[in-house]
Amino acid sequence: MSDDLALSPALLQEAAGRFGMLAATTRLHIVWVLTHGERDVSSLADEVDGTVAAVSQHLAKLKLAGLVRARREGRHQFYVVDDPHVAAIVRQMVAHLRGDSGRARGLGA
């Protein structure tokens, strides 16, 4: 097998974990919104049509996975995508699925 095709089990596990984090619709939506700039939990909850509590739980998981980071400003925390490669993958997938028509195909969106 060529070096280009060889993947260690640890690398495969890490990649699957990152993709797994994005497999939940709400988490993917959160990351999508955050690719467009930082948001606080309340703004995110409004934009993804979720509760503050649920969005906070998703953000905690995304933060533990290293996909988002937070900064504190007074009593508020603002979140942003912490991995530009993940942001690029999410944007590319959305653009691919939108195709030329500007709408997602067959995804109920």
Side-chain angles (χ1 to χ4, degrees):
M1 179 180 294
S2 75
D3 287 343
D4 288 345
L5 293 178
L7 294 175
S8 71
L11 179 61
L12 286 168
Q13 184 67 36
E14 185 175 352
R18 297 276 174 111
F19 281 115
M21 276 289 120
L22 299 175
T25 306
T26 300
R27 286 196 294 270
L28 180 60
H29 197 175
I30 288 168
V31 171
W32 168 252
V33 171
L34 292 177
T35 66
H36 294 86
E38 69 178 15
R39 303 284 198 284
D40 68 358
V41 178
S42 296
S43 298
L44 277 170
D46 288 342
E47 291 188 61
V48 303
D49 198 26
T51 65
V52 169
V55 169
S56 292
Q57 288 180 352
H58 285 296
L59 284 167
K61 290 178 182 181
L62 290 166
K63 192 173 171 186
L64 277 172
L67 300 179
V68 302
R69 72 175 185 274
R71 71 170 180 84
R72 184 169 289 284
E73 188 175 296
R75 293 181 6 181
H76 296 279
Q77 283 200 39
F78 291 88
Y79 292 86
V80 66
V81 176
D82 195 29
D83 187 333
H85 296 102
V86 170
I89 289 167
V90 169
R91 284 176 170 253
Q92 287 174 355
M93 180 55 72
V94 169
H96 172 72
L97 293 173
R98 282 184 171 167
D100 294 336
S101 68
R103 293 184 355 241
R105 294 181 303 243
L107 298 177

